[in-house]
Amino acid sequence: MTQYVRLQHFPISFFAMILGMAGFTIAFQRAESILELPFSISPILLIITLLIFVVFILLYLYKMIKFFPEVKEEFNNPVKLSFFPTTSISLLLFSILFLTDHSNISKIFCFIGTLAHFIFTLKIITTWIHHDKFNIKQMNPAWFIPAVGNLIIPIAGVSHFPMEISWFFYSIGVVFWLILMTIFFNRIIFHNPLPNKLLPTLFLLIAPPAIGFISYVKLNGAIDPFSKILYYFALFMFILLLTQIKYFTKIKFYLSWWAYSFPIAAITIASLLMYHKSDMLFFYYMAYFLLSILSLAIIGIFIKTIISVSKKEVCIAEE
């Protein structure tokens, strides 16, 4: 009975784990091809990620049926609201993972993920416009998640949809990234700092330009000055956050630690793409360096999550 009660507190933010694992899998999938790694673990990672996703979907559906008021409360929370699109982004990432070897499966994931994410985008932006309870101190990098989702769509979308549809979603993602980035820097400079629990979400600042770069190259077919601006800005944000490492090492474990994973995966994949397109050795070594950091981060956070779950420190009522 206790386990069922704990499901009442199963957080939507748990799906950030799927983003991290899927990004990790895509990174190795690309590295195995581009860097010609002597081993192949991406098929195993894909199965693991897919199984975790199915389990999480079933658990959250159960929560929706048995504890709908708690789900509604999460959706009305200005911080937790932005994590709902992690479900649709997960589908979009699976569409990328299946794109090369299973195009039909990829197309199904892409169609469902795109439709779901478009609905989330409309709903969340509507909530932002007509809210009566948000304030600037509640704004945090998790608000970038809906924008990032739109930037992901063209990566597989160029293979499944007319090109103009992919440009449509890319435009939404880029413009809202710029809007939200401006609002966030206003919030972080002129208002209270982020609480410790949300500090890992600062890494989400890497994701929009990194994903924007990958998606733009898919749309444009080549590296050009605009794509370089996106890549190098993402790289700068990664370096900037590395210099803040002393602040991150002081934070106790929260599920928000998974916010480290997907953005690092994004800049890793972007660096692999830069090497693939430019054939410059700098990006070869950068890709290896980032892939190593990503691997250590995923392994460490995964172990921390298992320990935290075993100690029943997650899926509990928040203070």
Side-chain angles (χ1 to χ4, degrees), residues 151 154-155 158 167 170 174 209-228 230 273:
L151 290 170
I155 297 175
V158 295
W167 275 113
Y170 187 82
V174 166
I211 297 296
F213 163 77
I214 298 165
S215 194
Y216 180 79
V217 173
K218 272 282 189 176
L219 288 163
N220 196 46
I223 303 293
D224 66 11
F226 178 68
S227 64
K228 289 183 179 181
L230 292 172
L273 182 56

Side-chain angles (χ1 to χ4, degrees), residues 110-147:
C110 193
F111 179 80
I112 298 173
T114 299
L115 180 61
H117 196 78
F118 187 52
I119 292 170
F120 275 130
T121 300
L122 290 173
K123 177 60 180 175
I124 290 171
I125 294 174
T126 299
T127 302
W128 289 345
I129 293 171
H130 297 287
H131 73 87
D132 60 359
K133 55 187 176 299
F134 294 174
N135 63 68
I136 191 66
K137 295 177 183 178
Q138 294 167 327
M139 204 280 177
N140 66 85
W143 287 38
F144 285 83
I145 293 173

Side-chain angles (χ1 to χ4, degrees), residues 10-309:
F10 183 83
I12 189 66
S13 57
F14 232 138
F15 281 91
M17 180 178 180
I18 306 300
L19 269 58
M21 291 297 298
F24 185 45
T25 307
I26 294 170
F28 262 100
Q29 193 181 70
R30 297 295 184 267
E32 288 160 8
S33 172
I34 295 170
L35 301 180
E36 298 181 350
L37 298 181
F39 55 86
S40 177
I41 64 169
S42 59
I44 299 171
L45 293 175
L46 174 56
I47 292 171
I48 293 171
T49 305
L50 199 54
L51 286 174
I52 297 173
F53 176 72
V54 170
V55 170
F56 282 7
I57 284 289
L58 292 175
L59 289 175
Y60 207 80
L61 285 174
Y62 178 85
K63 177 178 175 178
M64 289 179 69
I65 294 169
K66 297 292 290 185
F67 306 106
F68 186 73
E70 282 75 11
V71 174
K72 187 175 180 181
E73 182 181 347
E74 274 192 307
F75 197 80
N76 290 327
N77 184 292
V79 175
K80 297 177 182 178
L81 171 64
S82 295
F83 283 97
F84 278 85
T86 55
T87 55
S88 55
I89 292 175
S90 297
L91 297 174
L92 295 170
L93 293 175
F94 282 123
S95 75
I96 297 170
L97 281 163
F98 283 106
L99 182 60
T100 303
D101 297 325
H102 304 282
S103 181
N104 289 333
I105 296 175
S106 170
K107 189 172 185 177
I108 294 170
F109 274 117
C110 193
F111 179 80
I112 298 173
T114 299
L115 180 61
H117 196 78
F118 187 52
I119 292 170
F120 275 130
T121 300
L122 290 173
K123 177 60 180 175
I124 290 171
I125 294 174
T126 299
T127 302
W128 289 345
I129 293 171
H130 297 287
H131 73 87
D132 60 359
K133 55 187 176 299
F134 294 174
N135 63 68
I136 191 66
K137 295 177 183 178
Q138 294 167 327
M139 204 280 177
N140 66 85
W143 287 38
F144 285 83
I145 293 173
V148 170
N150 285 289
L151 290 170
I152 290 173
I153 290 170
I155 297 175
V158 295
S159 300
H160 302 309
F161 305 138
M163 188 65 76
E164 294 306 311
I165 292 179
S166 291
W167 275 113
F168 171 75
F169 286 106
Y170 187 82
S171 301
I172 297 169
V174 166
V175 174
F176 270 98
W177 163 50
L178 295 173
I179 292 170
L180 291 168
M181 185 171 61
T182 303
I183 297 171
F184 175 71
F185 274 97
N186 172 274
R187 179 255 186 272
I188 203 70
I189 294 172
F190 298 110
H191 301 275
N192 292 349
L194 289 174
N196 281 348
K197 186 175 182 178
L198 292 178
L199 273 180
T201 65
L202 285 171
F203 271 73
L204 293 174
L205 297 173
I206 301 168
I211 297 296
F213 163 77
I214 298 165
S215 194
Y216 180 79
V217 173
K218 272 282 189 176
L219 288 163
N220 196 46
I223 303 293
D224 66 11
F226 178 68
S227 64
K228 289 183 179 181
I229 290 171
L230 292 172
Y231 174 78
Y232 287 121
F233 184 73
L235 187 59
F236 166 75
M237 292 307 301
F238 175 74
I239 295 169
L240 175 66
L241 289 168
L242 278 188
T243 66
Q244 317 295 312
I245 194 71
K246 65 178 182 180
Y247 298 103
F248 297 113
T249 54
K250 296 176 182 178
I251 307 169
K252 76 170 188 175
F253 178 77
Y254 298 102
L255 283 179
S256 59
W257 275 32
W258 281 101
Y260 295 132
S261 59
F262 180 69
I264 298 176
I267 189 61
T268 302
I269 298 164
S271 297
L272 285 163
L273 182 56
M274 278 292 281
Y275 171 65
H276 179 64
K277 290 292 184 179
S278 69
D279 206 31
M280 291 176 61
L281 277 179
F282 170 79
F283 298 113
Y284 175 85
Y285 293 116
M286 178 61 70
Y288 259 113
F289 170 69
L290 291 170
L291 189 64
S292 300
I293 290 179
L294 174 63
S295 300
L296 291 173
I298 289 288
I299 292 169
I301 299 169
F302 199 92
I303 292 172
K304 281 280 190 180
T305 303
I306 292 174
I307 293 172
S308 187
V309 170

